[in-house]
Amino acid sequence: MILDTKSVGVCDAIENARAHITGRNLRYYVYTFGCQQNEADSEKIRQMAENMGYLSADCSESADLVILNTCAIREHAQMKAMSLLGTFKSQKKKNPNLVVGLVGCMAAKDEIVKNIKAKFPFVSFTAEPNMLHRIPEAVLSAVTEAERTFIIGEDSGNIVEGITQKRTSAHKAMVSIMYGCNNFCTYCVVPYVRGRERSRDSSAIISECKELVRGGVKEIMLLGQNVNSYSSDIKFPELLSRIAELEGDFIIRFMTSHPKDTTSALIDVMKKYSGKVAPYFHLPLQAGSNRILSRMNRTYTRERFWEIVQELREKIPGISLSTDIIVGFPGESEEDFLETLDMLKICRFDLVYAFMYSSRVGTAAAKMDGHIADTVKSDRLSRLFEIQDPISYEKNLPYLDSYVRVLVDSAEERDGERIYTGRTDTNKLVHFTGDAVSIGEFISVKIKKICGFDLIGDAVK
Ligand code: SAH
Ligand code: SF4
Ligand code: F3S
């Protein structure tokens, strides 16, 4: 059963609980770990909580409903969430009416849910990522019947439309266009926790974007584990063009792309709509050795990857590129690793997100031979950044003394001065000063200094 949280029944139940428990307003707090997909899901969770009658809390200490939206991508992410979860044991003692839930990717793993059932009695519910729409039902059982709910293994493969997001930003919006993943990269837990790939109807996506732009949104981020393998009645390049054709002054970003789906058709659309589609591409390489790429089941070679990089740079001058790298994949020899370093020198990415391989239960790589010692992995990681950091800095140098368009995100007072922060169309972080700057607007900034990965400048009229 799916509860309509807007229905009077649910609100009444929470209202009764509120009156019964304390007579004061009940509040919620949501923690988010992991990727943008989770950020977007947390916006949905916040909306569900508000529909139930909860108000937002400033911190978890003052909340009656605490939800951890978790990530399972690496062991470290899981450990962080589990130790945070542990801290609610004492809060629950102080406030027996506290409802704690653990949802998201960790909640799709049997061993974790078993552990929570047995050892974390103060956790009222868990919900796997594709079952978040059932959170209100679980909260309700906890509040009214003090019952625990564990929603796992129930993913129907359908997309539940119509859950609105309580958007955190007025000018930037995340729009999920597809869910799940079919690629089964051998190291990755995502296909297991998020299920099979499924794409939303293009008409639903386009009308959502239209609505957002009409409401003043300046940046739309199209989200999916594999955005560019989006496929419904139309494919991703067509979807991108249709969104780009919407009237209005806004920019479109998308992530994450898989090299296998990065076609000339897609790059041509980016070129055609260069005013609307950001000249930025996150293209995860993962490894520079063909042998390791094949063990990872990435289905492209370093040669093909380099071709894509060249095509992007030829067709979209000034484009910035970022990538993901995993060091210490099982069987990665020193020679393989040197090939990754070599690819970084060849491709010269603007930014690299690099991770030490983390073995995930149930994945193919976990069962492979040749697991690498942590000391070797961390040594490789620091050697990687020794190569990449100067490249990232050098990639920023051409911005010096140039004028860039920046979407203003935030402002803070520093030493009596108001410093604004925003991003260029190429996704570079810019800190700048200026008069009459408004958050959520595009502004022109003259870059006067490069500070590591960031640009420093002054707003110009
Ligand atoms: N769908 C995206 C993002 C996946 S998760 C993609 O295909 O790129 C983000 C990044 O985490 C991955 O690109 C990969 O570099 C890293 N990652 C995934 N599984 C990992 C693991 N088991 N150990 C270390 N890093 C991992
Ligand atoms: Fe994981 Fe690969 Fe799917 Fe990305 S494409 S989510 S790395 S399995
Ligand atoms: Fe983590 Fe799940 Fe995203 S595992 S990276 S939160 S899809």
Side-chain angles (χ1 to χ4, degrees):
M1 178 186 60
I2 296 173
L3 279 176
D4 175 4
T5 60
K6 286 182 200 122
S7 74
V8 180
V10 176
C11 293
D12 276 356
I14 295 296
E15 188 56 28
N16 289 343
R18 182 181 78 81
H20 173 71
I21 294 169
T22 54
R24 64 175 168 81
N25 286 321
L26 296 181
R27 297 193 177 267
Y28 73 91
Y29 193 83
V30 181
Y31 285 96
T32 310
F33 297 86
C35 62
Q36 271 112 337
Q37 199 76 66
N38 264 19
E39 298 282 348
D41 285 346
S42 285
E43 292 188 342
K44 292 182 182 169
I45 297 170
R46 289 192 185 98
Q47 189 62 60
M48 287 186 244
E50 300 215 346
N51 291 349
M52 295 189 83
Y54 284 90
L55 301 179
S56 135
D58 294 334
C59 60
S60 56
E61 285 80 14
S62 57
D64 308 278
L65 168 64
V66 174
I67 299 181
L68 277 65
N69 189 13
T70 60
C71 171
I73 202 82
R74 285 170 290 272
E75 195 57 36
H76 183 63
Q78 286 195 180
M79 274 160 41
K80 274 202 315 209
M82 287 313 277
S83 63
L84 176 66
L85 189 67
T87 63
F88 293 102
K89 189 176 176 180
S90 57
Q91 193 174 327
K92 177 88 180 176
K93 266 196 196 130
K94 279 185 235 148
N95 173 12
N97 297 309
L98 173 70
V99 174
V100 179
L102 181 135
V103 305
C105 295
M106 282 169 68
K109 297 179 80 180
D110 285 328
E111 73 274 15
I112 289 178
V113 174
K114 266 189 204 140
N115 186 26
I116 286 175
K117 270 186 193 168
K119 301 199 183 127
F120 293 78
F122 59 89
V123 175
S124 295
F125 66 92
T126 69
E128 62 183 351
N130 297 320
M131 287 289 133
L132 300 181
H133 54 280
R134 289 188 47 198
I135 290 176
E137 192 184 314
V139 172
L140 205 59
S141 297
V143 170
T144 58
E145 293 151 46
E147 251 179 41
R148 303 177 83 197
T149 313
F150 303 95
I151 307 162
I152 180 168
E154 294 185 30
D155 181 7
S156 63
N158 296 329
I159 293 177
V160 179
E161 282 284 354
I163 310 178
T164 44
Q165 286 164 245
K166 183 175 161 50
R167 300 194 179 274
T168 21
S169 163
H171 64 279
K172 279 179 164 187
M174 294 178 280
V175 176
S176 295
I177 64 165
M178 48 96 69
Y179 302 92
C181 181
N182 287 349
N183 287 332
F184 288 96
C185 302
T186 54
Y187 50 81
C188 185
V189 79
V190 171
Y192 304 94
V193 294
R194 290 251 170 197
R196 293 297 69 71
E197 200 169 285
R198 58 207 97 164
S199 296
R200 284 178 71 195
D201 281 344
S202 62
S203 55
I205 299 169
I206 295 163
S207 43
E208 185 177 341
C209 292
K210 205 173 182 174
E211 217 33 59
L212 288 166
V213 174
R214 199 180 292 155
V217 161
K218 292 291 192 308
E219 179 184 301
I220 291 179
M221 168 74 94
L222 303 175
L223 285 183
Q225 283 304 336
N226 271 294
V227 264
N228 54 356
S229 71
Y230 172 86
S231 176
S232 63
D233 52 324
I234 53 175
K235 297 263 194 276
F236 187 62
E238 176 67 22
L239 179 72
L240 197 56
S241 359
R242 293 215 194 155
I243 299 171
E245 272 168 16
L246 295 174
E247 296 264 324
D249 187 19
F250 67 101
I251 192 164
I252 311 165
R253 300 186 186 281
F254 53 88
M255 84 184 311
T256 299
S257 305
H258 193 296
K260 80 172 165 52
D261 300 307
T262 306
T263 57
S264 296
L266 170 57
I267 301 172
D268 289 340
V269 166
M270 292 180 73
K271 179 183 159 91
K272 180 171 174 197
Y273 296 99
S274 58
K276 282 269 176 72
V277 181
Y280 166 68
F281 211 103
H282 181 65
L283 191 64
L285 168 65
Q286 311 297 2
S289 141
N290 284 338
R291 195 179 70 84
I292 296 297
L293 284 172
S294 156
R295 277 167 73 85
M296 287 177 162
N297 189 30
R298 287 294 287 180
T299 70
Y300 52 83
T301 59
R302 57 187 274 136
E303 292 77 18
R304 171 65 195 138
F305 188 94
W306 173 231
E307 265 173 32
I308 302 170
V309 168
Q310 285 172 295
E311 187 177 351
L312 283 165
R313 288 196 172 131
E314 268 158 31
K315 290 186 176 163
I316 306 156
I319 190 169
S320 69
L321 301 178
S322 59
T323 199
D324 288 347
I325 300 283
I326 296 176
V327 299
F329 183 81
E332 184 188 72
S333 66
E334 174 65 15
E335 289 68 37
D336 292 319
F337 173 65
L338 290 176
E339 288 200 65
T340 296
L341 294 186
D342 190 47
M343 272 302 267
L344 297 187
K345 290 180 206 156
I346 293 170
C347 295
R348 293 180 63 78
F349 297 102
D350 290 76
L351 217 52
V352 171
Y353 302 90
F355 313 97
M356 290 197 272
Y357 168 75
S358 169
S359 187
R360 310 316 292 135
V361 177
T363 60
K367 294 169 214 118
M368 285 181 185
D369 294 336
H371 282 261
I372 310 271
D374 280 352
T375 47
V376 176
K377 286 185 208 166
S378 71
D379 176 61
R380 286 184 185 166
L381 196 64
S382 42
R383 284 162 65 202
L384 183 150
F385 284 119
E386 268 167 38
I387 301 288
Q388 181 57 39
D389 286 352
I391 298 176
S392 296
Y393 176 76
E394 284 157 28
K395 293 296 283 186
N396 284 343
L397 289 177
Y399 285 81
L400 204 55
D401 295 324
S402 74
Y403 293 86
V404 286
R405 184 173 82 148
V406 172
L407 180 58
V408 190
D409 275 331
S410 60
E412 69 172 310
E413 297 295 325
R414 254 185 253 163
D415 304 327
E417 207 175 13
R418 198 161 170 77
I419 310 285
Y420 296 92
T421 296
R423 283 190 188 266
T424 64
D425 291 355
T426 53
N427 208 34
K428 304 267 178 190
L429 206 56
V430 188
H431 307 286
F432 60 99
T433 54
D435 300 324
V437 175
S438 314
I439 289 167
E441 295 298 326
F442 288 112
I443 193 158
S444 180
V445 174
K446 183 172 187 202
I447 303 302
K448 56 178 191 191
K449 205 169 131 190
I450 309 297
C451 209
F453 301 151
D454 302 346
L455 314 178
I456 315 291
D458 294 316
V460 285
K461 284 272 152 21

